Amino acid sequence: MDVNRKLAAIMFTDIVGYSALVHKNESFALELLEEHRNIIRPIFKEFEGREIKTGGDSFLTEFLSALGATECAIKIQSALHERNIQVAEERKINIRIGIHLGDVIEKDNDVFGDGVNIAARIEPLAPAGGICISEDIWRQVQNKLDYGTFKMERKTLKNIDLPFGIYAIDLPWLKREDSK
């Protein structure tokens, strides 16, 4: 079997509360979804991210660089934060982002494997408007970002045998759970 393996930074994004919004007001949800896509797709391209697929309100994007993926995530969250402070509460778009650096299999313009699965499990750990990264990403980006990071409690990820070190980007508009 001819398999194309590579190391990639994999990013998952997901809109917080989107399913509930669709249930409440489908046309309004679709309007916000389109606005969300128009904001983040150009940012992916700016950081050479390759959009692999979208699943409704989520994106799976591949990057050649851990730093590029993380800086892209920061720019996305910054752009959405700036937008959100100018709109009414019901128009806010909050997303979670998870990023992992791992080995993936590329086939038919898609990516598969543990690298993808782990990134998918990290994304829900991020707070609304936040970014969580695996320890593998953190090792590559520490001391290279405009924002600090903090280590979260060690997590066991669903259907992943080993516990993972997870870090969060310390974005100034988010209140840290461990701050006093």
Side-chain angles (χ1 to χ4, degrees), residues 158-179:
K158 181 180 174 185
N159 297 325
I160 307 294
D161 290 339
L162 301 171
F164 265 79
I166 306 294
Y167 290 77
I169 307 295
D170 197 7
L171 300 171
W173 54 86
L174 295 178
K175 184 172 180 152
R176 281 180 52 175
E177 290 180 16
D178 64 344
S179 63

Side-chain angles (χ1 to χ4, degrees), residues 95-107:
I95 68 171
R96 292 183 174 95
I97 299 177
I99 311 170
H100 176 61
L101 180 68
D103 195 58
V104 298
I105 298 166
E106 184 175 40
K107 183 178 180 188

Side-chain angles (χ1 to χ4, degrees), residues 9 11 39-51 61-79 145-146:
M11 174 194 292
I39 292 168
I40 70 174
R41 279 185 165 140
I43 300 172
F44 289 153
K45 289 181 178 149
E46 181 181 338
F47 290 90
E48 299 180 0
R50 181 172 74 101
E51 183 182 322
T61 308
E62 173 194 48
F63 295 82
L64 299 175
S65 158
L67 184 61
T70 308
E71 288 177 333
C72 178
I74 291 169
K75 185 157 186 180
I76 288 169
Q77 293 294 34
S78 296
L145 301 173
D146 290 338

